[in-house]
Coordinates of all heavy atoms in Angstrom, one line a residue:
M1 N 101.5 78.9 87.4 CA 101.8 79.1 88.8 C 102.4 80.5 89.0 O 103.1 81.0 88.1 CB 102.8 78.1 89.3 CG 103.2 78.2 90.7 SD 104.4 77.0 91.3 CE 103.4 75.7 91.6
S2 N 102.2 81.1 90.1 CA 102.6 82.5 90.3 C 104.2 82.5 90.5 O 104.8 81.6 91.0 CB 102.0 83.0 91.6 OG 102.5 84.2 92.0
V3 N 104.7 83.6 90.1 CA 106.2 83.8 90.3 C 106.5 83.8 91.7 O 107.6 83.4 92.1 CB 106.6 85.1 89.6 CG1 108.1 85.4 89.9 CG2 106.4 85.1 88.1
A4 N 105.6 84.2 92.6 CA 105.9 84.2 94.0 C 106.1 82.9 94.6 O 106.6 82.7 95.7 CB 104.7 84.9 94.7
F5 N 105.8 81.8 93.9 CA 106.0 80.4 94.4 C 107.3 79.8 93.9 O 107.3 78.7 93.5 CB 104.8 79.6 93.9 CG 103.5 80.0 94.6 CD1 102.6 80.7 93.9 CD2 103.2 79.6 95.9 CE1 101.4 81.1 94.4 CE2 102.0 79.9 96.4 CZ 101.1 80.7 95.7
V6 N 108.3 80.6 93.9 CA 109.6 80.1 93.5 C 110.1 79.1 94.5 O 110.1 79.4 95.7 CB 110.6 81.3 93.3 CG1 112.0 80.8 93.0 CG2 110.1 82.3 92.3
P7 N 110.6 78.0 94.0 CA 111.1 77.0 95.0 C 112.2 77.5 95.8 O 113.0 78.3 95.3 CB 111.6 75.8 94.0 CG 110.9 76.1 92.7 CD 110.6 77.5 92.6
E8 N 112.4 77.0 97.0 CA 113.4 77.4 97.9 C 114.8 77.4 97.3 O 115.6 78.3 97.5 CB 113.4 76.6 99.2 CG 114.3 77.0 100.3 CD 113.8 78.3 101.0 OE1 112.6 78.5 101.1 OE2 114.7 79.2 101.3
R9 N 115.1 76.4 96.6 CA 116.5 76.2 96.0 C 116.8 77.3 94.9 O 117.9 77.5 94.6 CB 116.6 74.8 95.4 CG 115.7 74.5 94.3 CD 115.8 73.0 93.8 NE 114.7 72.6 93.0 CZ 114.5 72.9 91.8 NH1 115.4 73.7 91.1 NH2 113.5 72.5 91.1
L10 N 115.7 77.9 94.4 CA 116.0 79.0 93.4 C 115.8 80.4 93.9 O 116.1 81.3 93.2 CB 115.0 78.8 92.2 CG 115.1 77.5 91.4 CD1 114.0 77.5 90.4 CD2 116.4 77.4 90.7
R11 N 115.4 80.5 95.1 CA 115.2 81.9 95.7 C 116.5 82.6 95.8 O 117.5 82.0 96.2 CB 114.6 81.8 97.1 CG 113.1 81.4 97.0 CD 112.4 81.4 98.2 NE 111.1 80.8 98.0 CZ 110.2 80.5 99.0 NH1 110.6 80.7 100.2 NH2 109.1 80.0 98.7
G12 N 116.5 83.8 95.4 CA 117.7 84.6 95.4 C 118.5 84.5 94.1 O 119.5 85.2 93.9
K13 N 118.2 83.5 93.3 CA 118.9 83.2 92.1 C 118.1 83.6 90.8 O 118.7 83.7 89.7 CB 119.2 81.7 92.0 CG 120.1 81.3 93.1 CD 120.4 79.8 93.0 CE 121.2 79.4 94.2 NZ 121.4 77.9 94.3
V14 N 116.9 84.0 91.0 CA 116.0 84.4 89.9 C 116.2 85.9 89.7 O 116.0 86.6 90.7 CB 114.6 84.0 90.1 CG1 113.7 84.5 89.0 CG2 114.4 82.5 90.3
E15 N 116.5 86.3 88.5 CA 116.7 87.7 88.2 C 115.3 88.4 88.2 O 114.4 87.9 87.5 CB 117.4 87.9 86.9 CG 117.6 89.4 86.6 CD 118.4 89.5 85.3 OE1 119.1 88.6 84.9 OE2 118.2 90.6 84.7
V16 N 115.2 89.5 88.9 CA 113.9 90.2 88.9 C 114.2 91.4 87.9 O 115.0 92.2 88.1 CB 113.6 90.8 90.3 CG1 112.3 91.7 90.2 CG2 113.4 89.7 91.3
N17 N 113.4 91.3 86.8 CA 113.5 92.3 85.7 C 112.2 92.9 85.4 O 111.2 92.6 86.0 CB 114.2 91.7 84.5 CG 113.4 90.5 84.0 OD1 112.2 90.5 84.0 ND2 114.2 89.6 83.4
Q18 N 112.2 93.9 84.5 CA 110.9 94.6 84.2 C 109.9 93.6 83.7 O 108.7 93.8 84.0 CB 111.2 95.7 83.2 CG 110.1 96.6 82.9 CD 109.7 97.4 84.1 OE1 110.5 97.8 84.9 NE2 108.4 97.7 84.3
Q19 N 110.3 92.6 82.9 CA 109.3 91.7 82.4 C 108.7 90.9 83.5 O 107.4 90.6 83.4 CB 110.1 90.7 81.4 CG 109.1 89.7 80.7 CD 109.9 88.8 79.8 OE1 111.1 88.9 79.7 NE2 109.2 88.0 79.0
T20 N 109.4 90.4 84.5 CA 108.9 89.7 85.6 C 107.9 90.5 86.4 O 106.8 90.1 86.7 CB 110.0 89.2 86.5 OG1 110.9 88.4 85.8 CG2 109.5 88.4 87.7
L21 N 108.3 91.8 86.6 CA 107.4 92.7 87.4 C 106.1 92.9 86.6 O 105.0 92.9 87.2 CB 108.1 94.0 87.7 CG 109.3 93.9 88.6 CD1 110.0 95.2 88.8 CD2 108.9 93.3 90.0
Q22 N 106.2 93.1 85.3 CA 105.0 93.4 84.5 C 104.1 92.1 84.5 O 102.9 92.3 84.6 CB 105.4 93.7 83.1 CG 104.2 94.1 82.2 CD 103.5 95.4 82.7 OE1 104.1 96.3 83.2 NE2 102.2 95.3 82.7
W23 N 104.7 91.0 84.4 CA 103.9 89.7 84.5 C 103.2 89.6 85.8 O 102.0 89.2 85.8 CB 104.9 88.5 84.2 CG 104.1 87.3 84.1 CD1 103.6 86.8 82.9 CD2 103.7 86.3 85.1 NE1 103.0 85.6 83.1 CE2 103.0 85.3 84.4 CE3 103.9 86.3 86.4 CZ2 102.5 84.2 85.1 CZ3 103.4 85.2 87.1 CH2 102.7 84.2 86.5
L24 N 103.8 89.9 86.9 CA 103.2 89.9 88.2 C 102.1 90.9 88.3 O 101.0 90.5 88.8 CB 104.2 90.2 89.3 CG 104.9 89.0 90.0 CD1 106.0 89.4 90.9 CD2 103.8 88.1 90.7
L25 N 102.3 92.1 87.8 CA 101.2 93.1 87.8 C 100.0 92.6 87.0 O 98.8 92.8 87.4 CB 101.7 94.4 87.3 CG 102.8 95.1 88.2 CD1 103.4 96.3 87.6 CD2 102.2 95.4 89.6
E26 N 100.3 92.0 85.8 CA 99.2 91.5 85.0 C 98.4 90.4 85.7 O 97.2 90.3 85.6 CB 99.7 91.1 83.6 CG 100.1 92.3 82.8 CD 100.8 91.9 81.5 OE1 100.9 90.7 81.2 OE2 101.3 92.9 80.9
E27 N 99.2 89.5 86.3 CA 98.6 88.4 87.1 C 97.7 88.9 88.2 O 96.6 88.5 88.4 CB 99.6 87.5 87.6 CG 99.0 86.3 88.4 CD 100.0 85.3 89.0 OE1 101.0 85.8 89.6 OE2 99.9 84.1 88.8
N28 N 98.2 89.9 88.9 CA 97.4 90.5 90.0 C 96.1 91.1 89.4 O 95.1 91.0 90.1 CB 98.2 91.6 90.7 CG 99.3 91.0 91.6 OD1 99.4 89.8 91.8 ND2 100.2 91.8 92.0
D29 N 96.2 91.8 88.3 CA 95.0 92.3 87.6 C 94.0 91.2 87.4 O 92.8 91.4 87.7 CB 95.4 93.0 86.3 CG 94.2 93.6 85.6 OD1 93.5 94.5 86.2 OD2 93.9 93.1 84.5
Q30 N 94.4 90.1 86.8 CA 93.5 89.0 86.6 C 92.9 88.4 87.9 O 91.8 88.0 87.9 CB 94.2 87.9 85.8 CG 94.5 88.3 84.3 CD 93.2 88.6 83.6 OE1 92.2 87.8 83.7 NE2 93.1 89.7 82.9
L31 N 93.8 88.3 88.9 CA 93.3 87.8 90.2 C 92.2 88.6 90.8 O 91.2 88.2 91.3 CB 94.5 87.6 91.2 CG 95.5 86.5 90.8 CD1 96.8 86.7 91.7 CD2 94.9 85.2 91.1
I32 N 92.4 89.9 90.7 CA 91.5 90.9 91.2 C 90.1 90.8 90.5 O 89.1 90.7 91.1 CB 92.0 92.3 91.2 CG1 93.1 92.5 92.2 CG2 90.9 93.3 91.5 CD1 93.9 93.7 92.1
R33 N 90.2 90.6 89.2 CA 89.0 90.5 88.4 C 88.3 89.2 88.7 O 87.0 89.2 88.8 CB 89.3 90.5 86.9 CG 89.8 91.8 86.4 CD 90.3 91.7 84.9 NE 90.9 92.9 84.5 CZ 90.3 94.0 84.0 NH1 89.0 94.0 83.8 NH2 91.0 95.1 83.6
C34 N 89.0 88.1 88.9 CA 88.4 86.8 89.4 C 87.7 87.0 90.7 O 86.6 86.5 90.9 CB 89.4 85.7 89.4 SG 89.9 85.1 87.8
I35 N 88.4 87.6 91.6 CA 87.9 87.8 93.0 C 86.6 88.6 93.0 O 85.6 88.2 93.6 CB 88.9 88.5 93.9 CG1 90.1 87.5 94.2 CG2 88.3 88.9 95.2 CD1 91.4 88.2 94.7
V36 N 86.6 89.7 92.2 CA 85.4 90.5 92.1 C 84.2 89.8 91.5 O 83.1 89.8 91.9 CB 85.7 91.8 91.3 CG1 84.4 92.6 90.9 CG2 86.7 92.7 92.1
E37 N 84.6 89.0 90.4 CA 83.5 88.2 89.8 C 82.9 87.2 90.7 O 81.7 87.1 90.8 CB 84.1 87.5 88.5 CG 83.0 86.7 87.7 CD 83.6 86.1 86.5 OE1 84.7 86.5 86.0 OE2 83.0 85.1 86.0
Y38 N 83.7 86.4 91.4 CA 83.2 85.4 92.4 C 82.4 86.1 93.5 O 81.3 85.6 93.8 CB 84.3 84.6 93.0 CG 84.8 83.4 92.1 CD1 86.1 83.3 91.7 CD2 83.9 82.4 91.8 CE1 86.5 82.2 91.0 CE2 84.3 81.3 91.0 CZ 85.6 81.3 90.6 OH 86.0 80.2 89.9
Q39 N 82.9 87.2 94.0 CA 82.1 87.9 95.0 C 80.8 88.4 94.5 O 79.8 88.4 95.3 CB 83.0 89.0 95.6 CG 84.1 88.5 96.5 CD 85.0 89.6 97.1 OE1 85.0 90.7 96.6 NE2 85.7 89.3 98.1
S40 N 80.8 88.9 93.3 CA 79.5 89.5 92.8 C 78.5 88.4 92.5 O 77.3 88.7 92.5 CB 79.8 90.3 91.5 OG 80.1 89.4 90.4
K41 N 78.9 87.2 92.4 CA 78.0 86.0 92.2 C 77.7 85.3 93.5 O 77.0 84.3 93.6 CB 78.7 85.0 91.3 CG 78.8 85.5 89.9 CD 79.5 84.4 89.0 CE 79.6 85.0 87.5 NZ 80.2 84.0 86.7
G42 N 78.2 85.9 94.6 CA 77.9 85.4 95.9 C 78.7 84.1 96.3 O 78.3 83.3 97.1
R43 N 79.8 84.0 95.6 CA 80.6 82.8 95.8 C 82.0 83.2 96.5 O 83.0 82.9 95.9 CB 80.9 82.1 94.5 CG 79.6 81.6 93.8 CD 79.7 81.1 92.4 NE 80.7 80.0 92.3 CZ 81.1 79.6 91.2 NH1 80.7 80.1 90.0 NH2 82.0 78.6 91.1
A44 N 81.9 83.8 97.6 CA 83.1 84.3 98.3 C 84.0 83.2 98.7 O 85.3 83.5 98.6 CB 82.7 85.2 99.5
T45 N 83.5 82.1 99.0 CA 84.5 81.0 99.5 C 85.4 80.5 98.3 O 86.5 80.1 98.6 CB 83.7 79.8 100.1 OG1 82.7 79.4 99.2 CG2 83.0 80.2 101.4
E46 N 84.9 80.6 97.1 CA 85.7 80.1 96.0 C 86.8 81.1 95.7 O 87.8 80.7 95.0 CB 84.8 80.0 94.7 CG 84.0 78.7 94.7 CD 82.6 78.9 95.3 OE1 82.4 79.9 95.9 OE2 81.7 78.1 95.0
C47 N 86.7 82.4 96.1 CA 87.7 83.3 95.7 C 88.9 83.4 96.8 O 89.9 84.0 96.5 CB 87.1 84.7 95.5 SG 86.6 85.5 97.0
V48 N 88.8 82.6 97.8 CA 89.8 82.6 98.9 C 91.2 82.2 98.3 O 92.2 82.8 98.6 CB 89.4 81.7 100.1 CG1 90.6 81.6 101.1 CG2 88.2 82.3 100.8
Q49 N 91.2 81.2 97.5 CA 92.5 80.7 96.9 C 93.1 81.9 96.1 O 94.3 82.0 96.1 CB 92.3 79.5 96.1 CG 91.4 79.7 94.8 CD 91.2 78.4 94.1 OE1 91.9 77.4 94.3 NE2 90.3 78.4 93.1
Y50 N 92.3 82.6 95.3 CA 92.8 83.7 94.6 C 93.3 84.9 95.4 O 94.3 85.5 95.1 CB 91.8 84.2 93.6 CG 91.4 83.2 92.6 CD1 90.1 82.7 92.6 CD2 92.3 82.6 91.7 CE1 89.7 81.7 91.7 CE2 91.9 81.6 90.8 CZ 90.6 81.2 90.8 OH 90.2 80.2 89.9
Q51 N 92.6 85.1 96.6 CA 93.1 86.1 97.5 C 94.4 85.7 98.1 O 95.3 86.6 98.3 CB 92.0 86.3 98.6 CG 90.8 86.9 98.1 CD 89.7 86.9 99.1 OE1 89.6 86.0 100.0 NE2 88.8 87.9 99.1
H52 N 94.7 84.5 98.4 CA 95.9 84.0 98.9 C 97.1 84.3 97.9 O 98.1 84.7 98.3 CB 95.9 82.5 99.3 CG 95.1 82.3 100.6 ND1 95.6 82.6 101.8 CD2 93.9 81.8 100.8 CE1 94.8 82.3 102.7 NE2 93.7 81.8 102.1
I53 N 96.8 83.9 96.7 CA 97.9 84.2 95.6 C 98.1 85.6 95.5 O 99.3 86.1 95.4 CB 97.4 83.5 94.3 CG1 97.3 82.0 94.4 CG2 98.4 83.9 93.2 CD1 96.7 81.3 93.3
L54 N 97.1 86.4 95.4 CA 97.2 87.9 95.3 C 98.0 88.4 96.5 O 98.9 89.3 96.3 CB 95.8 88.6 95.2 CG 95.8 90.1 95.2 CD1 96.6 90.6 93.9 CD2 94.4 90.6 95.2
H55 N 97.7 88.0 97.7 CA 98.4 88.4 98.9 C 99.9 88.1 98.8 O 100.8 88.9 99.0 CB 97.8 87.8 100.1 CG 98.5 88.1 101.4 ND1 99.4 87.3 102.0 CD2 98.4 89.2 102.2 CE1 99.9 87.9 103.1 NE2 99.3 89.1 103.2
R56 N 100.2 86.9 98.4 CA 101.6 86.5 98.2 C 102.3 87.3 97.2 O 103.5 87.7 97.3 CB 101.7 85.0 97.8 CG 102.2 84.2 98.9 CD 102.4 82.8 98.5 NE 102.0 82.0 99.7 CZ 102.0 80.7 99.7 NH1 102.4 80.0 98.7 NH2 101.6 80.1 100.8
N57 N 101.7 87.6 96.0 CA 102.3 88.4 95.0 C 102.5 89.8 95.5 O 103.6 90.4 95.2 CB 101.3 88.5 93.8 CG 101.3 87.3 92.9 OD1 102.1 86.3 93.2 ND2 100.5 87.2 91.9
L58 N 101.6 90.4 96.3 CA 101.8 91.7 96.8 C 102.9 91.8 97.8 O 103.7 92.7 97.8 CB 100.5 92.2 97.4 CG 99.3 92.5 96.4 CD1 98.0 92.8 97.2 CD2 99.7 93.6 95.4
I59 N 103.0 90.8 98.6 CA 104.1 90.7 99.6 C 105.5 90.6 98.8 O 106.4 91.3 99.2 CB 104.0 89.5 100.6 CG1 102.7 89.7 101.5 CG2 105.2 89.3 101.4 CD1 102.8 90.9 102.3
Y60 N 105.5 89.8 97.8 CA 106.7 89.6 97.0 C 107.1 91.0 96.4 O 108.3 91.4 96.4 CB 106.4 88.6 95.9 CG 107.6 88.2 95.0 CD1 108.7 87.6 95.5 CD2 107.6 88.6 93.7 CE1 109.8 87.3 94.7 CE2 108.7 88.3 92.9 CZ 109.8 87.6 93.4 OH 110.8 87.4 92.6
L61 N 106.1 91.7 95.8 CA 106.4 93.0 95.2 C 106.9 94.0 96.2 O 107.8 94.8 95.9 CB 105.2 93.5 94.4 CG 104.8 92.8 93.1 CD1 103.4 93.2 92.7 CD2 105.9 93.0 92.1
A62 N 106.3 94.0 97.4 CA 106.7 94.9 98.4 C 108.1 94.6 98.9 O 108.9 95.5 99.2 CB 105.7 94.8 99.6
T63 N 108.5 93.3 99.0 CA 109.8 92.9 99.4 C 110.8 93.4 98.4 O 111.9 93.9 98.7 CB 109.9 91.4 99.5 OG1 108.9 91.0 100.5 CG2 111.3 90.9 100.0
I64 N 110.5 93.3 97.1 CA 111.4 93.8 96.0 C 111.5 95.3 96.1 O 112.6 95.8 96.0 CB 110.8 93.4 94.6 CG1 110.9 91.9 94.4 CG2 111.6 94.1 93.5 CD1 110.2 91.4 93.2
A65 N 110.4 96.0 96.3 CA 110.5 97.4 96.5 C 111.3 97.9 97.7 O 112.1 98.8 97.6 CB 109.1 98.0 96.6
D66 N 111.2 97.2 98.8 CA 111.9 97.5 100.0 C 113.4 97.3 99.8 O 114.2 98.0 100.4 CB 111.4 96.7 101.2 CG 110.1 97.2 101.7 OD1 109.7 98.3 101.3 OD2 109.5 96.4 102.5
A67 N 113.8 96.3 99.0 CA 115.2 95.9 98.8 C 115.8 96.8 97.7 O 117.1 96.9 97.6 CB 115.3 94.5 98.4
A68 N 115.1 97.5 96.9 CA 115.6 98.3 95.8 C 116.2 99.6 96.4 O 115.8 100.1 97.4 CB 114.5 98.7 94.9
P69 N 117.3 100.1 95.8 CA 117.9 101.3 96.3 C 117.0 102.5 96.1 O 116.2 102.5 95.1 CB 119.2 101.4 95.4 CG 118.9 100.6 94.2 CD 118.0 99.5 94.6
P70 N 117.1 103.5 96.9 CA 116.1 104.6 96.8 C 116.4 105.4 95.5 O 117.5 105.5 95.0 CB 116.5 105.5 98.0 CG 117.8 105.0 98.5 CD 118.0 103.6 98.0
I71 N 115.4 105.9 94.9 CA 115.5 106.7 93.7 C 115.8 108.2 94.2 O 115.1 108.8 95.0 CB 114.2 106.7 92.9 CG1 113.9 105.3 92.5 CG2 114.3 107.7 91.7 CD1 112.5 105.1 91.8
R72 N 116.9 108.7 93.6 CA 117.3 110.1 93.9 C 116.6 111.0 92.9 O 116.8 110.9 91.7 CB 118.8 110.2 93.9 CG 119.5 109.3 94.9 CD 120.9 109.7 95.0 NE 121.6 108.7 95.8 CZ 121.9 108.9 97.1 NH1 121.5 110.0 97.7 NH2 122.5 108.0 97.8
R73 N 115.9 112.0 93.4 CA 115.3 113.0 92.6 C 116.1 114.3 92.6 O 116.6 114.7 93.6 CB 113.9 113.3 93.2 CG 113.0 112.1 93.4 CD 112.0 112.1 92.4 NE 111.1 110.9 92.6 CZ 110.6 110.2 91.7 NH1 110.8 110.4 90.5 NH2 109.9 109.1 92.0
P74 N 116.3 114.9 91.4 CA 117.1 116.1 91.4 C 116.4 117.3 92.1 O 115.3 117.3 92.3 CB 117.2 116.4 89.9 CG 116.3 115.5 89.2 CD 115.8 114.5 90.2

């Protein structure tokens, strides 16, 4: 199950670290590969569930990025 599907009771309590982010990025890579494979076989309807998970993951990553303090460049 995707990290983006954290139960309501645990939201805000799960530490977001480099390992979690890397895992999400790797999951997104696999999701994209599955989506491309299904589409290339003409099975677009089967890839919809993967597109939904990918979308949720991307929204989750964007939310984390928006909440992070800005990086100061010298």
Side-chain angles (χ1 to χ4, degrees):
M1 180 183 279
S2 175
V3 175
F5 293 100
V6 175
E8 187 68 39
R9 63 185 164 77
L10 296 177
R11 289 187 186 166
K13 298 178 183 173
V14 176
E15 182 181 335
V16 178
N17 55 35
Q18 188 65 34
Q19 183 180 5
T20 303
L21 294 175
Q22 186 61 42
W23 189 87
L24 264 173
L25 293 172
E26 289 171 7
E27 181 181 48
N28 288 350
D29 178 63
Q30 288 300 314
L31 288 167
I32 291 167
R33 290 173 191 272
C34 286
I35 291 166
V36 168
E37 184 178 339
Y38 276 122
Q39 287 179 339
S40 69
K41 293 179 179 179
R43 298 170 57 187
T45 53
E46 283 92 344
C47 71
V48 171
Q49 64 183 346
Y50 299 115
Q51 290 172 328
H52 285 285
I53 296 169
L54 177 63
H55 179 260
R56 255 188 216 176
N57 286 355
L58 293 173
I59 295 298
Y60 183 71
L61 288 169
T63 302
I64 292 169
D66 287 345
I71 298 172
R72 298 190 188 264
R73 307 251 183 218

